[in-house]
Amino acid sequence: MKNILILLNISITGILLVFLGFLIILNPRVLFETNQVELGTDPNLLSEIKAPGGALLAFGLLLCFSLVRSKIRTMALGSTAVFLLGYGFARIVSIAFDGMPAPSLVTAMVMEIGLGLVCLWAGVQTKENF
C-alpha cells in the first residue's frame, strides 16, 4: 500500500509540475492574472517569470521519468522536495517582509509546502523500500 501511495504522489506531483511549467513558459499571463499580477510586455520581466517555469517543468519531468527508472526515484523525490519547500519558504519570508499576497498565492504556498513534505516523506520511504 505504501508503494502505491508513493507512486501516486510521484504521478500527481509530476503531472502538476509539468502542467504548471508548460503554462508559465508558454502563456504566463493566464496564471499570473489569476493571482492579480499584471505582467505587461517587458521582455526582461517575462524572462524572469518564465525561467522558474522551466525549473517546474524540469522537476516534473524528473519525477515522471522516475516512474520508469526506479534507480533515480529517491533522488527525484528528494530534490523535488527541496525545490518545493524552498518555494514555500520563500513565500513565507515574502509574507513576513512584504505582506499578505492574493489568496491564490497563499494556496500555492500551502500546496508547495504540503507537496514538498509529501515528497520528502516518499523519498525517505523509497530509500528504505525500493
Side-chain angles (χ1 to χ4, degrees):
M1 180 65 171
K2 193 184 311 183
N3 291 344
I4 292 172
L5 291 175
I6 291 169
L7 296 176
L8 187 62
N9 169 60
I10 292 170
S11 301
I12 292 170
T13 305
I15 291 168
L16 179 64
L17 293 178
V18 167
F19 172 76
L20 289 173
F22 269 127
L23 182 62
I24 292 170
I25 291 169
L26 299 176
N27 193 359
R29 285 178 185 83
V30 170
L31 183 62
F32 282 80
E33 286 173 2
T34 64
N35 297 328
Q36 302 169 3
V37 175
E38 182 106 14
L39 290 180
T41 59
D42 180 4
N44 299 311
L45 176 61
L46 291 172
S47 177
E48 287 295 314
I49 294 299
K50 291 179 180 186
L56 289 168
L57 176 61
F59 280 101
L61 290 173
L62 179 64
L63 280 177
C64 291
F65 187 61
S66 78
L67 288 169
V68 295
R69 282 291 282 186
S70 61
K71 289 183 179 183
I72 67 164
R73 199 167 288 155
T74 301
M75 179 274 300
L77 285 162
S79 58
T80 302
V82 169
F83 176 73
L84 289 171
L85 291 170
Y87 253 72
F89 177 72
R91 291 189 196 274
I92 291 171
V93 171
S94 179
I95 289 171
F97 284 99
D98 306 321
M100 193 61 68
S104 56
L105 292 172
V106 174
T107 300
M109 175 188 66
V110 170
M111 298 257 323
E112 289 156 358
I113 293 170
L115 287 173
L117 290 173
V118 171
C119 284
L120 184 63
W121 169 83
V124 170
Q125 299 304 313
T126 300
K127 186 175 182 191
E128 294 173 0
N129 293 321
F130 284 97

